[in-house]
Amino acid sequence: MKRMRKSWRLPVMGLIATAAAAVIVVFAWDGEHKSERAFEGEIVMEQTYQNPMTLDQEWEDYGIGDPYVMRFNGKYYLYCSTKDWRVGIKAWSSEDLIHWQYEGLVTEEPLTEGAYAPEVVYWNGSFYMYTSPAGKGHYVLRSDTPTGPFTIETENLGLSIDGSVFIDDDGKWYFTNAASGGIMASLMEDPYTIGVGDKLNTSLGHWTEGSMIIKRQGRYYITYTGNHVFSRGYRVNYAVAHDSPNGIYTIPENNPIVISTEDDFNGLGHSSTVMGPDMDSYYIVYHNLIGSSAEGPPVRMMNMDRLLFNGDKMSVAGPTHGFPVQAPAMPGFYDHLDGMPQEERWERTEQQDKETWVTKEGTNSRFTAEYNAVILNSKEAADPEASVFETLFSYRDADNFRGIRVDGDTMSMSLFEIKQGQERIIQTAGLPDEMDLTKHHTLRTESSKEGTLVYWDNLLLIGSEETKGEAGTIGYRWSAGLQPILGYTAFSNEAGGSSDQSVIQQAPGTMEAVHGISGEDEGKLYSVSTENTPDGSYAVTLLQKDSALSFPVYAREEGNYLISVMVAKDGAGSKLSVRAGDKSKEIQLKLEDFSEESEWTKIPLGSFHLGQGAQWISLTREKGEATVRYIETELLNPVPSQHTVDFTKIYGSWDFTGGQTTLRNEAREGKLFGGESGWSDYEVSFQLTSTDEVSAEASLLFRTANESDFPDQVKDAFRGYELSFNNGLVKLKRINYEINEEMASELLELGNNKPTDVRVRLEGATIGIYIDGAEKPLLTWMDPNAFLTGRVGIRTGSQGWLFSPVTVKSLD
C-alpha cells in the first residue's frame, strides 16, 4: 500500500462556550473516494466538544435528564424531562448539535407537571409530543411548530413511562414504552390511538426503559436502558431486527454500548439517536448521573457520542468524558432558505416553462442531498397542470441531470433521469396516505456506486441499484405558477455510512476492521464480507502483503495499552505487524492461540505505549491470509509482583476480623471488588472454607469491570468471570450484567471446616483453575471473546463461608 504524509483537517468553526476546547476533524484522503489512507498523516483537531455538556437555562438542581433530540428542516430540537412538581417542558435548538440556544417552555399545560421523557415526532404538518407526567400515564400534545405551544390532545393513555414513536417506510406507526423485563411495542391506529402491546425480547433482566427505534439500511435498531436511574450501572443496550420493528430482535454480543460506573462518570442512559448534520452520521444522546437534588429527584447532565455501524453491529465511539471529542461534521453545502434561493449561491434558469434553480457548488459522485419545501402555497393552487415539483441532483446542464418529481395530481414521486435532453422515468412510488402538500416535507437523496435511495419525510420510498452516483450540482425545478416555499437545502459528499471511516476512534475502545480500509482498494488489498461472522458484521480479509488496517485514534490518557484482534481461525500461521505509538511489533498467529469452540478468537497482540491525544494505530499483513472483525484497545495498569488485594468497593455487610472475611447478614448478597480495571495477565489465589452455616454458593470474581450495586438492578451487576463453589461443584461463569453463562464445570467436594487452596491463572484468553497446589488444572477454558482486563472480587449470599486474604501476582 502506498503511504503518504497528509494533513487531515477541517476549517475552524469557532469555540464552544460549554467546552474546554471545541472538535471536528476531516481526513484528507486522496480523491473523493478516499482511495489512499495515510498512516502517519497529521491528525489536526481544530474543533472539539466535551462531555458532559452544560446548557443555558437547565432545570435548576435537576439538569438535563432523558434527552431527546429531533432533527427538522436543518435544525435540531432538544427536549428533556421536567423536574418533579414543576410545570412545562423546556426546549433548546441547534444547527450543529454542539451550540444550543434556549427556546423557553414549549408548553405550560398544567398536566405537564413533572413531565417525563418528552419525545416529539413530525408528521404532515403537525408536531406530536408524547410524555408521561410524573410517570402516571401518557398524553399526546400537538403543535404547529417544534417550539410550541404544544396543547394536550388526548386523555391519559396509560402505558407506563418513556413512550417513543417509530414510523416505518410503509407509513405504519409503532409505540414503545417501558416495562419490567422488557420493552413493550404497540401498533398505532393514528398519532393519538395506541393498540394493545406485546413485550419485545429486549430486556435488561429487570426494569427496562428509555427505548427508541431507528431504521438504517433495512435494519431496525432499538436502544433501551435500565435498570434504575440512580444506579451506577444504568446503561444502554441495543438490539437489531430485519423483518419488523415489533418482532424478534437479535441481541449482539457487544452490549452494553454505553456504560461507565466510575466515580466521576456513571449512571449513563436513557438515550435518543439522531442523524448528524452531514446527513450520513448518527449520534447517541444520553445523560449521566450527578446525584440527587435537595428535593429528591436525580440530577443529570447531557452527553453525546458518535454511533458507528458495521452491518448488523452498532457501536459507540465512547462513552467519552472529560477530554476533547471530534465534533459533528457539517455538510459541504447548506443554505437555510426562507422561501426562495438567492443568486449569491444559486443560479436561475428557465426550462420548458419550469423555473429552475441550481447551486453553484457541486457534489462528488457519492453524496447525500436534502431538500425541504412547502410545495403548494394553498390547496387552491393544486392545479394538475401546475403541481409538478422536482428536486434535482447530478446536474451538469439543462440536458443532463437527475431528479425526483413530486406529482400533486397523482400524489406520487418518481426518480427520473434526463440524458442528452431525453427523459427516462426510472422508478415511481406513491406518497403516504393523506399527504398534504401545503405542509412542510423533506426529500433526501443518497447516491453512490451502490445506487440511489430516495426518502420522503425520512421514509425510504425509492431504491435504484442501476442509478449509480454521478457528480453535479443540486437544485429545484417546478411548474410555472406553483410558487413553492423552499427551506433548508444541503449536500455532503458522504452516503451509506461512508463517514464512519472518518471517525477518530477512542482508546480504550473497539475499532471495526471495515472502518480501517479504503473503499477503493476493496477487491485488491481487501475482501469484505459478512460470511461466517456471528454478529452479522463485515469482516476484512487482508489479501496481500502490506495490506493494512489504519485508524486515527484519540488516546484518553498516556499509558500502556493492550491491543488485541478478533481474527478467524483460518488465519492460524499468518503473521501480522502492529504499529502504535513509537512501537512496531510482529506477531505470529499460532493454532494454539485459537479457541476450539469458535471460528473466531480475540487474540492479544501485546502492550503498546500511547501518548495522550490523537495518533495512528495500524495492523498490517506480513505473511499468510488473515480475516479480521475488529481491533480492541484497553488501558493497562501494572500488576504487582505479589500483592494482597485491598477491597475498595464493598457491597453488603462484611466482617473482616481475624484474618478472614465473612458475610455478616445473608439478607442481602455481599460483593467485594479490588485492584485495578487495567490488570491483565495475573494469578489470583485465596483459601476458601465452608462451615455448617453455609446455605448458598461462594464465588471468586476476576477480570471484572463496570461493577455496580443497587436494589432495583440485576443481581449480576458487573462484567467479568465468576468461579463459584457449592454442592460439590465448581463452575466457571461468564457474566455481563443480565447475561450469565455457565462455561465449564467440574466436581469438587469441599471438606467441612477445611480450607481449600484456590489458584486461578489468567493468561490471554485462557483461564486455568488449580486446587490445593496441584500442578494440573482442575478446569481450563479458553474464551473466544475474552475479557482481557479487570479487577478481582469475591461474593456470596450466605453466612458461613470464610475467605482468606486474596492475593494477586503478575505473570511477567
Side-chain angles (χ1 to χ4, degrees), residues 329-441:
M330 298 299 289
F333 170 92
Y334 62 100
D335 196 349
H336 288 275
L337 300 179
D338 188 17
M340 292 293 290
Q342 300 298 310
E343 293 186 354
E344 180 181 353
R345 305 186 69 187
W346 295 76
E347 293 180 353
R348 180 183 182 184
T349 63
E350 292 287 345
Q351 293 185 18
Q352 301 173 349
D353 298 325
K354 293 180 181 178
E355 187 162 354
T356 305
W357 290 85
V358 294
T359 57
K360 293 182 178 180
E361 301 175 53
T363 72
N364 294 333
S365 60
R366 182 189 64 216
F367 64 90
T368 298
E370 181 177 289
Y371 315 81
N372 288 268
V374 176
I375 294 174
L376 300 178
N377 272 324
S378 65
K379 291 185 178 180
E380 290 72 26
D383 180 353
E385 299 298 322
S387 60
V388 173
F389 175 82
E390 298 169 345
T391 61
L392 311 180
F393 57 94
S394 301
Y395 187 98
R396 289 179 287 166
D397 55 49
D399 292 328
N400 296 278
F401 61 92
R402 293 169 174 170
I404 304 299
R405 177 174 299 138
V406 180
D407 191 321
D409 183 29
T410 62
M411 294 303 290
S412 64
M413 58 188 290
S414 300
L415 169 63
F416 70 91
E417 179 180 57
I418 292 181
K419 183 174 287 187
Q420 297 180 352
Q422 299 299 308
E423 179 176 293
R424 179 172 69 101
I425 301 296
I426 300 170
Q427 196 174 132
T428 297
L431 297 180
D433 293 342
E434 301 180 355
M435 282 291 101
D436 185 349
L437 300 186
T438 69
K439 305 301 183 183
H440 182 104
H441 295 286

Side-chain angles (χ1 to χ4, degrees), residues 525-580:
L525 299 179
Y526 318 101
S527 173
V528 178
S529 175
T530 61
E531 186 178 358
N532 298 325
T533 60
D535 57 2
S537 65
Y538 287 92
V540 176
T541 302
L542 304 175
L543 297 175
Q544 298 180 14
K545 178 177 170 58
D546 293 334
S547 297
L549 306 174
S550 299
F551 304 90
V553 174
Y554 189 93
R556 183 179 66 193
E557 60 183 273
E558 181 179 4
N560 292 323
Y561 287 77
L562 176 65
I563 297 180
S564 55
V565 59
M566 180 63 80
V567 61
K569 186 182 294 185
D570 57 14
S574 62
K575 182 183 290 185
L576 302 173
S577 67
V578 182
R579 189 172 182 185

Side-chain angles (χ1 to χ4, degrees), residues 650-701:
I650 301 173
Y651 304 120
S653 179
W654 293 84
D655 189 334
F656 298 95
T657 60
Q660 300 278 1
T661 299
T662 186
L663 188 68
R664 284 198 185 115
N665 185 356
E666 62 181 275
R668 184 184 175 204
E669 179 186 75
K671 292 182 287 189
L672 301 173
F673 296 98
E676 301 290 344
S677 62
W679 282 357
S680 186
D681 289 357
Y682 56 84
E683 281 190 353
V684 56
S685 305
F686 77 119
Q687 282 188 339
L688 179 65
T689 304
S690 173
T691 70
D692 293 334
E693 298 178 78
V694 166
S695 61
E697 68 184 21
S699 301
L700 174 70
L701 310 175

Side-chain angles (χ1 to χ4, degrees), residues 282-322:
Y282 283 83
Y283 288 83
I284 187 167
V285 185
Y286 57 94
H287 69 239
N288 71 290
L289 180 68
I290 299 300
S292 60
S293 71
E295 298 172 84
V299 180
R300 296 161 292 183
M301 298 182 72
M302 187 176 86
N303 303 265
M304 179 182 73
D305 283 309
R306 176 66 182 265
L307 277 171
L308 296 167
F309 296 87
N310 174 17
D312 286 359
K313 189 176 182 181
M314 184 171 76
S315 57
V316 176
T320 63
H321 167 243

Side-chain angles (χ1 to χ4, degrees), residues 54-70:
T54 301
L55 277 57
D56 181 36
Q57 300 295 315
E58 293 182 1
W59 287 106
E60 184 179 358
D61 197 26
Y62 189 70
I64 302 290
D66 312 321
Y68 177 82
V69 178
M70 177 192 69

